[in-house]
């Protein structure tokens, strides 16, 4: 009997030691990215991990049990990272649920769609666990319905039906009352052994809203009013006067910082500043409006930027970037269009490859199947659109050349994923080399930014002076 007791005690100690060793996965970072499109929680750690997820009701919350991680200060601080202004998350609570199991409870402000996935190490990141919280109704589609109702002389707003989450989550009983889970903070990351205690709907990558920053509801209405069309309308629109919509895409964002300058500037910040200024300039033009693919610091997959522009029935798509190179002496501005036949230069090919890796760094779920994306990117012919893109790029490049040295004196082409709209002339502008100390200073200078956006707008207007915008079919992608 004594021998059995001793063996039992030894076994307990051994199992305890093994459990402790397994729990030593180190959580090194936790981030929360709130936006109207969706809120993302990213947990980063040194090793892969396994987890279980539950979607609970009354009240609405998402519970993630992460196995074999240590409840350190980084995890405990996650709750502090949730902003009161977050549109979807009320709070995050963290506690030690079982031996070697840390429970993360995300209390929600409303019923949502959730998508959980893991990412392998890439770029500067280690293993990541990502939780995306989406609204049930895509705010972009709601806005389109409202604008269509206004345009149709006060017609009824028909709210779009939710179709991107065909699998409904099963509600289960919360194994531990929510009150018993102590609040704490940020997170960890690892990989997945995806043992899911509930079939959580794998929501389609939401196309999200294109924010019309600095425009209130009345501005939205008036922007579609015939009274806004001035006597010069024919200059841009031809016979059928209407408003021109220009989608402005601030490159990178959120988990994807883009290139970094010698003084620490991040491409995602510079591009957002320039994009907002360009939108403001465009909005001041009669019969033009700008729409932003993102209006704050969060990540959008490349194909979603394309889909957003198409959903807004944009006439042009302008993607703003700031290049980087290993040699800090590299400088100058460039403009790129899509190529279906290979890159026009080795540098264009290199740049397209680098920009297309944004999805790997920013983090896209490979489990998502998006029929809208398929219809967007598999269009049979883009030749006419590419020709228009080259014309637009030439006019913009010529104007930018008046304020900055050009890295390339012609519009270059390569297979940029973000330019693959089959029916919207699209260009990518590398405004300058953020890796060049002098150009980095320019990119952060308000006066230079104003000159830059004025030159881009001048190029856009010159393009439309010889290529009037045609009437757009009012069919959003469904």
């Amino acid at each position: 009997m004594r021998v059995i007791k001793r063996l039992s005690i030894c076994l307990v100690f051994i199992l305890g030691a093994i459990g402790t060793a397994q729990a030593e996965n180190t959580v090194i970072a936790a981030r929360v990215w709130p936006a109207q499109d969706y809120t993302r929680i990213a947990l980063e750690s040194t090793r892969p991990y396994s987890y279980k997820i539950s979607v609970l009701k009354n009240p609405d919350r998402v519970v993630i049990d992460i196995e074999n991680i240590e409840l350190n200060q980084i995890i405990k601080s996650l709750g502090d990272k949730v902003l009161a202004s977050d549109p979807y998350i009320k709070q995050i609570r963290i506690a030690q649920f079982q031996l070697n199991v840390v429970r993360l409870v995300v209390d929600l402000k409303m019923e949502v769609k959730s998508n959980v996935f893991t990412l392998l190490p890439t770029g500067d990141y280690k293993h990541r666990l990502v939780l995306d919280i989406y609204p049930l109704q895509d705010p972009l589609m709601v806005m389109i319905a409202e604008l269509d109702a206004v345009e149709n002389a006060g017609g009824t707003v028909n709210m779009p039906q939710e179709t991107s989450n065909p699998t409904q989550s099963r509600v289960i009983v919360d194994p531990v009352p929510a009150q018993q889970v102590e609040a704490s903070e940020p997170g960890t990351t690892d990989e997945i052994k995806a043992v899911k205690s509930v079939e959580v709907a794998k929501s389609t990558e939401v196309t999200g809203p294109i924010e019309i920053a600095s425009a209130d509801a009345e501005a939205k209405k008036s922007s579609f009013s015939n009274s806004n069309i001035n006597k010069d309308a024919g200059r841009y629109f031809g016979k059928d006067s209407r408003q021109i919509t220009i989608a402005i895409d601030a490159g990178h964002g959120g988990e994807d910082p883009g290139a970094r300058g010698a003084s620490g500037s991040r491409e995602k910040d510079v591009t957002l500043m320039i994009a907002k200024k360009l939108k403001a300039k465009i909005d001041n033009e009669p019969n033009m409006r700008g729409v932003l693919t993102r209006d704050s610091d969060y990540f959008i997959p490349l194909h979603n930027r394309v889909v957003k522009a198409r959903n807004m029935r944009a006439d042009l798509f302008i993607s703003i970037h700031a290049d980087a190179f290993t040699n800090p002496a590299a400088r100058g501005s460039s403009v790129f269009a899509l190529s279906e036949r290979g890159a026009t230069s080795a540098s264009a090919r290199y740049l397209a490859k680098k920009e297309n890796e944004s999805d790997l760094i920013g983090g896209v779920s490979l489990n998502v199947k998006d029929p809208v994306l398929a219809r967007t990117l598999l269009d049979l012919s883009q030749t006419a659109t590419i020709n228009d893109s080259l014309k637009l790029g030439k006019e913009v490049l010529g104007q930018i050349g008046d304020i900055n040295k050009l890295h390339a004196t012609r519009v270059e082409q390569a297979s940029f994923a973000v330019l693959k709209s089959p029916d919207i002339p699209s260009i990518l502008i590398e405004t300058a080399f953020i890796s060049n100390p002098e150009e980095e200073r320019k990119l952060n200078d308000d006066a230079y930014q104003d000159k830059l956006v004025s030159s881009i707008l001048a190029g856009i207007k010159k393009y439309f002076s010889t290529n009037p915008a045609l009437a757009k079919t009012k069919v959003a992608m469904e």
Side-chain angles (χ1 to χ4, degrees):
M1 228 16 219
R2 289 180 181 177
V3 173
I4 294 175
K5 283 185 178 180
R6 286 176 182 173
L7 288 173
S8 299
I9 293 171
C10 289
L11 183 60
V12 168
F13 277 117
I14 291 170
L15 292 176
I18 292 174
T20 301
Q22 287 179 336
E24 304 237 338
N25 189 15
T26 305
V27 176
I28 58 176
R31 296 171 291 274
V32 179
W33 306 99
Q36 283 300 123
D37 289 51
Y38 69 103
T39 292
R40 168 167 289 190
I41 299 170
L43 310 176
E44 186 175 1
S45 71
T46 55
R47 293 194 329 221
Y49 58 88
S50 62
Y51 68 89
K52 296 179 182 178
I53 178 170
S54 305
V55 177
L56 309 176
K57 303 283 293 180
N58 301 319
D60 292 312
R61 59 206 183 279
V62 176
V63 177
I64 302 179
D65 289 334
I66 307 174
E67 302 173 11
N68 300 324
I69 64 167
E70 179 188 1
L71 184 60
N72 64 10
Q73 281 305 119
I74 297 180
I75 300 176
K76 289 180 180 179
S77 66
L78 184 58
D80 292 340
K81 298 181 183 292
V82 178
L83 302 179
S85 59
D86 190 299
Y88 308 114
I89 297 178
K90 184 185 301 181
Q91 65 176 346
I92 299 176
R93 296 172 286 122
I94 299 94
Q96 192 78 47
F97 176 54
Q98 294 175 348
L99 181 65
N100 297 332
V101 176
V102 170
R103 168 162 287 188
L104 185 152
V105 179
V106 181
D107 292 318
L108 303 166
K109 293 180 178 178
M110 64 183 75
E111 187 178 1
V112 300
K113 297 177 295 186
S114 59
N115 187 28
V116 183
F117 57 96
T118 57
L119 297 167
L120 294 172
T122 185
D124 294 332
Y125 293 118
K126 305 296 184 184
H127 293 276
R128 282 176 288 171
L129 172 65
V130 176
L131 169 63
D132 287 341
I133 302 293
Y134 296 105
L136 288 180
Q137 278 196 314
D138 180 357
L140 171 62
M141 300 311 297
V142 172
M143 185 174 70
I144 289 172
E146 292 173 348
L147 294 177
D148 282 345
V150 172
E151 192 175 6
N152 292 328
T156 304
V157 175
N158 295 317
M159 305 300 278
Q161 296 298 312
E162 182 54 51
T163 58
S164 59
N165 190 15
T167 308
Q168 297 298 319
S169 302
R170 272 209 314 265
V171 178
I172 65 173
V173 179
D174 190 352
V176 174
Q179 320 69 288
Q180 295 182 17
V181 184
E182 298 179 2
S184 290
E185 305 153 15
T188 112
T189 150
D190 278 42
E191 227 216 358
I192 75 174
K193 199 188 276 177
V195 184
K196 300 195 177 177
S197 58
V198 62
E199 290 185 7
V200 179
K202 291 288 185 181
S203 63
T204 313
E205 292 286 346
V206 174
T207 58
I210 299 181
E211 297 300 326
I212 304 184
S214 75
D216 56 19
E218 288 305 313
K220 291 179 188 176
K221 292 179 182 179
S222 64
S223 68
F224 282 87
S225 171
N226 286 335
S227 62
N228 276 350
I229 299 178
N230 73 352
K231 60 185 179 182
D232 294 327
R235 187 176 161 204
Y236 298 133
F237 305 101
K239 182 178 179 181
D240 297 321
S241 296
R242 67 174 180 81
Q243 187 183 60
I244 288 177
T245 298
I246 300 172
I248 308 163
D249 175 51
H252 308 280
E255 289 285 281
D256 176 21
R260 294 182 185 271
S263 299
S265 302
R266 299 181 300 186
E267 183 179 5
K268 68 174 183 177
D269 300 326
V270 169
T271 59
L272 184 59
M273 287 189 288
I274 294 172
K276 286 182 174 181
K277 287 195 172 186
L278 179 57
K279 174 185 163 43
K281 286 273 188 185
I282 290 173
D283 287 347
N284 285 332
E285 288 291 316
N287 311 307
M288 284 190 180
R289 68 161 181 164
V291 290
L292 300 172
T293 58
R294 68 178 180 95
D295 68 343
S296 59
D297 186 14
Y298 60 99
F299 173 72
I300 304 177
L302 296 174
H303 73 262
N304 278 1
R305 299 169 190 252
V306 176
V307 173
K308 276 188 172 189
R310 297 198 75 202
N311 279 341
M312 286 303 296
R313 300 188 289 274
D315 295 280
L316 300 179
F317 180 90
I318 312 289
S319 191
I320 306 295
H321 291 258
D323 205 357
F325 194 62
T326 52
N327 182 357
R331 59 175 299 173
S333 303
S334 306
V335 175
F336 296 84
L338 181 68
S339 170
E340 293 182 304
R341 301 178 181 177
T344 52
S345 71
S347 60
R349 185 183 304 109
Y350 166 78
L351 182 62
K353 180 178 182 297
K354 188 173 67 171
E355 296 294 357
N356 290 347
E357 288 173 350
S358 177
D359 281 352
L360 295 176
I361 298 170
V364 175
S365 172
L366 298 180
N367 293 323
V368 169
K369 300 293 185 287
D370 190 346
V372 172
L373 170 63
R375 290 202 301 274
T376 300
L377 302 186
L378 295 182
D379 196 281
L380 293 179
S381 176
Q382 291 183 306
T383 304
T385 303
I386 291 175
N387 287 338
D388 282 338
S389 300
L390 290 169
K391 292 176 185 177
L392 170 64
K394 181 180 179 181
E395 300 297 354
V396 171
L397 187 66
Q399 296 296 322
I400 293 178
D402 291 338
I403 67 160
N404 193 36
K405 174 183 172 64
L406 295 180
H407 184 69
T409 56
R410 65 170 181 169
V411 179
E412 296 218 68
Q413 293 178 261
S415 185
F416 291 90
V418 78
L419 300 182
K420 289 187 176 180
S421 174
D423 52 1
I424 303 173
S426 304
I427 60 172
L428 184 148
I429 303 173
E430 291 289 354
T431 53
F433 277 83
I434 199 171
S435 54
N436 180 293
E438 181 185 349
E439 293 201 332
E440 181 187 14
R441 285 192 295 272
K442 282 185 176 181
L443 289 170
N444 285 286
D445 179 69
D446 281 341
Y448 181 78
Q449 288 178 1
D450 288 338
K451 290 180 181 178
L452 177 64
V453 298
S454 294
S455 66
I456 295 172
L457 177 57
I460 291 171
K461 291 167 69 175
K462 193 170 180 183
Y463 166 78
F464 278 122
S465 69
T466 55
N467 299 272
L470 302 176
K472 281 275 188 179
T473 303
K474 296 179 183 179
V475 178
M477 300 184 67
E478 299 173 350

